[in-house]
Amino acid sequence: MTDREPQALDVLDDAGRKVLFTEARTANTFAEVAVADDELAMIWELARWSPSAANGQPLRVLFVRSREGKERLVRHLDEGNRAKTLSAPAVAVLAYDLDFHEQMPTVFPARGDLLRAAFADQTGARESLAAYNSALQTGVFLLAVRAAGLAAGPMAGFDKAGVDEEFFAGTSWRSHLVVNIGHPGADPWFPRLPRVRVEDAVAYA
């Protein structure tokens, strides 16, 4: 048995860190510039590599771009979120799939049939796993929006039951976040708010 050098991973450069983290902001206004199909495809192509338990990948996305679609959506949003959603070139309704287990044979070939059978009658467990893991995937989705050169405006202020009935009736999808997507418009950023201090958030054992 021989010693092996540890695999060296690439380190994100300063420009990449600024785009994804330190200078990224939540946009509140958007320019009148369309978001193209290939830009939305790029977002998903990056986001789908997110980790999830047993590679279950429960996150689902409905992209809304038409005026009609946005008007159907905003009736279920809190009042303060409606105008900016109507002005956003694209809106992603992020959801989780309660029946994600049906794809386990495809996404986890080694144990997929066993996992699908184990979850078949466990609706509560599936929903808990789907909600948690789609939230994990959502964080990566927001980074993917930024990596595609666009700004994201995530919002939790909406009637989930109303959105589900409006767009997902008769399906196993359940909404959990709405994200406005586009190029920043005039005065798009609120002042940067403080972050929790390192000493209050990080511990070592």
Side-chain angles (χ1 to χ4, degrees):
M1 185 173 181
T2 60
D3 293 334
R4 297 180 60 186
E5 291 292 327
Q7 182 179 358
L9 299 176
D10 292 335
V11 176
L12 194 66
D13 63 18
D14 286 342
R17 294 179 194 180
K18 289 178 180 178
V19 167
L20 297 183
F21 298 103
T22 59
E23 293 188 6
R25 308 290 298 278
T26 293
N28 293 285
T29 67
F30 295 90
E32 294 183 7
V33 178
V35 174
D37 288 347
D38 59 351
E39 292 178 295
L40 297 179
M42 181 191 304
I43 291 169
W44 181 249
E45 176 58 35
L46 294 173
R48 72 192 186 101
W49 298 103
S50 169
S52 57
N55 201 35
Q57 304 172 55
L59 183 68
R60 304 290 183 263
V61 184
L62 168 68
F63 286 116
V64 181
R65 287 189 299 181
S66 70
R67 182 72 183 187
E68 177 188 4
K70 283 186 276 188
E71 287 176 349
R72 289 173 59 199
L73 176 61
V74 298
R75 70 181 64 155
H76 304 290
L77 303 186
D78 290 356
E79 183 67 36
N81 292 332
R82 294 176 183 176
K84 55 188 174 183
T85 297
L86 286 172
S87 71
V91 186
V93 179
L94 302 187
Y96 56 83
D97 188 352
L98 287 173
D99 290 342
F100 71 92
H101 67 300
E102 295 291 351
Q103 296 197 55
M104 294 309 298
T106 298
V107 299
F108 200 151
R111 297 180 59 199
D113 289 328
L114 290 173
L115 289 167
R116 180 171 62 182
F119 281 123
D121 297 321
Q122 302 293 322
T123 305
R126 292 204 315 269
E127 180 156 18
S128 178
L129 280 170
Y132 178 85
N133 283 283
S134 65
L136 175 64
Q137 291 184 275
T138 292
V140 177
F141 181 92
L142 296 176
L143 294 178
V145 173
R146 296 169 177 177
L150 297 164
M155 304 177 301
F158 66 97
D159 176 7
K160 294 180 181 179
V163 168
D164 292 349
E165 180 64 26
E166 186 75 43
F167 293 99
F168 305 140
T171 78
S172 55
W173 292 21
R174 300 293 183 269
S175 59
H176 80 101
L177 194 71
V178 173
V179 183
N180 294 328
I181 299 172
H183 296 277
D187 193 23
W189 322 120
F190 292 152
R192 171 73 84 181
L193 294 172
R195 264 40 191 174
V196 176
R197 299 183 309 165
V198 173
E199 54 267 37
D200 291 331
V202 178
Y204 298 90

